[in-house]
Amino acid sequence: MANRPIQKAASSQPHFLQFNNLACETAGGKVIFATDEWFAPARNLLKRDPPEFIASAFNEYGKWMDGWETRRKRIPGHDWCIVQLGVPGVIHGFDVDTSFFTGNYAPYASIQVACLDQIPLFTLEGDRTGMEASPSQFEAVAKLNSDRWKEIVPMTEMKPGYSESCHNYLSVTYPHRVTHIRLNMYPDGGIARLKVYGIGKKDWSTVPGQDLVDLVALVNGGVCVGHSDAHYGHPRNMIGLGRADNMGDGWETARRLDRPKILRVDEKGILQVPGCEWAILRLGHPGIISKIELDTNHFKGNFPDSCKIEACSLTPDEENYFILDQWRSDKSPKWRILLPPQKLKAHHRHLFSGESVVHCGPVTHVRLVIAPDGGVSRLRLWGRPVSNNVTHSQQISKL
């Protein structure tokens, strides 16, 4: 029970895991209501870090658990909570993670969703271990009519929290914007983490046309659609909020095994190596990029030696084709240089603008290439959004 869960091989994982966790606490997600939080508070569901188990940890309410755990229900009904997404968007799948809940996991769960025009003013402050919802909280939450929200995951059997069974992956097809979800457990028990994988959906009509916007940011609908390696950290971390908290909050690859035994540099001081790693990101909106920020914050002995950024314009059908083809180099898009090769520094915020950034016109996708390997904490692509018609016209002109 105390063994840390082992991730399955990437080939056996659903594709939606590439997308962003819209409910994570670091993205602004929060639990605004929970029926019961006796053994462990519901806010644990949204932690970024993997669940942990401490065999000797107990408190006055019982066994300390790193997740949401309710008491054994002895009254009618079932337990449920409401999560306000940090980034409203379109959901593609869930991971209902029962790690370390083996004899006390929730045996069944369902998920309902809503898009609320006004964000409800609910607060669950402090440590709520040992607590349950008060009559006034039940009365307030009843106004949301959450029991009538759209059900996108019907009642589904959960698996216990052993390493080989803890991840309950639930794929969904629901093309509408979501701001809140209701997680139902039947009838009670524990869930360690809830991850809501999707793509942010921003109202771009509210953005002035001449304003510079971070077109690849998580909150603006940016998303990773492919990468070569993510041994220590997924590329989606690069488009998260703020600066990274630590190395785990960035993209980091394994060390390439084809790096030369004796390293040499060119006249610009850039290492001459045969291999590289890459990550491809779709912008939240087509645009013209004029300013780039690449941050190696926290990567002090493992930053990339150099990087370059390429860009292109793709239709949704073209993107789907390249994703299925795994972005193989022999059938790759027609990438254009956006940022020529640049020598990088450790633990440093690199800013590129003016003549350093090549004018590529309107683009929809970028490819960050690092050599030979290493870690990047954040990538910001500041630009001006343009209409889809402009991008479409540019694609036709290339034919």
Side-chain angles (χ1 to χ4, degrees), residues 5 39-40 52 61 65 74 88 97 139 197 239-241 262 265 267-268 276 279 281 302 319 324 343 353 375:
F39 290 109
E52 61 178 334
Y61 302 103
M65 294 296 290
R74 299 295 184 255
D97 183 353
E139 183 179 349
Y197 289 101
I239 60 176
L241 279 67
I262 305 297
V265 299
E267 65 280 0
K268 296 181 179 179
C276 62
L281 301 112
N302 50 353
E319 181 195 80
L324 290 174
K343 183 78 171 180
S353 60

Side-chain angles (χ1 to χ4, degrees), residues 38-39 57-64 127 129-130:
W38 181 264
F39 290 109
F58 287 83
N59 56 35
E60 62 180 302
Y61 302 103
K63 180 71 185 73
W64 178 88
D127 182 4
T129 305

Side-chain angles (χ1 to χ4, degrees), residues 21-96:
N21 181 3
L22 305 180
C24 186
E25 61 181 3
T26 59
K30 56 185 178 181
V31 175
I32 64 172
F33 176 84
T35 54
D36 185 272
E37 300 172 272
W38 181 264
F39 290 109
R43 66 182 183 185
N44 289 339
L45 289 169
L46 310 184
K47 287 182 178 179
R48 182 190 65 195
D49 296 333
E52 61 178 334
F53 180 80
I54 304 174
S56 60
F58 287 83
N59 56 35
E60 62 180 302
Y61 302 103
K63 180 71 185 73
W64 178 88
M65 294 296 290
D66 188 11
W68 174 37
E69 186 182 2
T70 69
R71 73 190 79 197
R72 301 188 189 214
K73 189 167 284 295
R74 299 295 184 255
I75 58 175
H78 65 89
D79 287 315
W80 51 279
C81 70
I82 293 180
V83 175
Q84 179 177 306
L85 299 183
V87 180
V90 176
I91 298 171
H92 291 266
F94 299 90
D95 177 11
V96 182

Side-chain angles (χ1 to χ4, degrees), residues 309-356:
I309 300 178
E310 301 165 321
C312 70
S313 293
L314 297 175
T315 65
D317 287 343
E318 289 172 330
E319 181 195 80
N320 289 335
Y321 169 79
F322 289 121
I323 288 175
L324 290 174
D325 197 51
Q326 298 182 332
W327 302 95
R328 289 188 300 180
S329 59
D330 57 333
K331 296 181 180 180
S332 66
K334 295 181 179 179
W335 295 106
R336 307 190 297 278
I337 289 293
L338 176 65
L339 181 71
Q342 304 286 332
K343 183 78 171 180
L344 299 178
K345 300 177 182 179
H347 191 54
H348 183 74
R349 179 182 277 176
H350 305 77
L351 299 174
F352 306 101
S353 60
E355 295 182 356
S356 299

Side-chain angles (χ1 to χ4, degrees), residues 92-388:
H92 291 266
F94 299 90
D95 177 11
V96 182
D97 183 353
T98 58
S99 291
F100 305 119
F101 289 97
T102 53
N104 52 350
Y105 68 100
Y108 295 89
S110 72
I111 298 175
Q112 297 167 268
V113 299
C115 184
L116 305 181
D117 294 331
Q118 293 184 337
I119 302 300
L121 298 176
F122 290 92
T123 57
L124 295 179
E125 298 179 349
D127 182 4
R128 292 185 53 81
T129 305
M131 299 182 69
E132 62 183 340
S134 66
S136 62
Q137 288 173 326
F138 270 109
E139 183 179 349
V141 81
K143 297 176 182 178
L144 299 179
N145 297 312
S146 63
D147 57 324
R148 287 184 273 175
W149 289 358
K150 174 68 176 179
E151 184 180 71
I152 61 173
V153 175
M155 189 183 296
T156 302
E157 185 175 1
M158 297 288 103
K159 300 185 293 290
Y162 299 107
S163 60
E164 68 276 8
S165 63
C166 59
H167 292 285
N168 296 273
Y169 294 127
L170 307 169
S171 180
V172 299
T173 302
Y174 186 70
H176 306 290
R177 184 175 184 265
V178 171
T179 62
H180 292 74
I181 68 171
R182 170 169 160 156
L183 172 63
N184 302 291
M185 64 164 71
Y186 303 99
D188 53 38
I191 296 171
R193 297 287 187 270
L194 174 68
K195 295 186 177 180
V196 182
Y197 289 101
I199 301 173
K201 192 169 183 180
K202 182 182 181 71
D203 182 1
W204 288 94
S205 65
T206 63
V207 179
Q210 298 304 313
D211 281 9
L212 286 183
V213 182
D214 182 1
L215 297 171
V216 78
L218 160 67
V219 295
N220 292 331
V223 64
C224 177
V225 292
H227 63 273
S228 58
D229 183 89
H231 191 85
Y232 294 110
H234 198 282
R236 63 170 167 257
N237 294 336
M238 294 189 294
I239 60 176
L241 279 67
R243 296 193 79 188
D245 292 331
N246 51 49
M247 285 199 311
D249 189 17
W251 172 39
E252 184 182 0
T253 74
R255 301 191 193 207
R256 290 189 63 89
L257 298 180
D258 61 357
R259 60 194 189 279
K261 297 179 180 63
I262 305 297
L263 297 172
R264 294 179 173 81
V265 299
D266 64 9
E267 65 280 0
K268 296 181 179 179
I270 295 177
L271 286 178
Q272 298 302 286
V273 292
C276 62
E277 304 293 352
W278 52 267
I280 297 173
L281 301 112
R282 183 207 308 154
L283 305 182
H285 194 286
I288 298 173
I289 298 168
S290 58
K291 181 180 176 182
I292 296 171
E293 176 183 328
L294 189 143
D295 195 353
T296 57
N297 190 28
H298 302 297
F299 291 100
K300 300 176 181 179
N302 50 353
F303 62 98
D305 176 70
S306 65
C307 78
K308 67 177 180 179
I309 300 178
E310 301 165 321
C312 70
S313 293
L314 297 175
T315 65
D317 287 343
E318 289 172 330
E319 181 195 80
N320 289 335
Y321 169 79
F322 289 121
I323 288 175
L324 290 174
D325 197 51
Q326 298 182 332
W327 302 95
R328 289 188 300 180
S329 59
D330 57 333
K331 296 181 180 180
S332 66
K334 295 181 179 179
W335 295 106
R336 307 190 297 278
I337 289 293
L338 176 65
L339 181 71
Q342 304 286 332
K343 183 78 171 180
L344 299 178
K345 300 177 182 179
H347 191 54
H348 183 74
R349 179 182 277 176
H350 305 77
L351 299 174
F352 306 101
S353 60
E355 295 182 356
S356 299
V357 179
V358 179
H359 181 75
C360 287
V363 297
T364 61
H365 293 68
V366 297
R367 178 167 67 174
L368 171 61
V369 180
I370 59 173
D373 47 44
V376 175
S377 61
R378 291 291 185 266
L379 176 66
R380 308 296 187 201
L381 301 175
W382 300 91
R384 180 171 55 84
V386 298
S387 71
N388 289 313

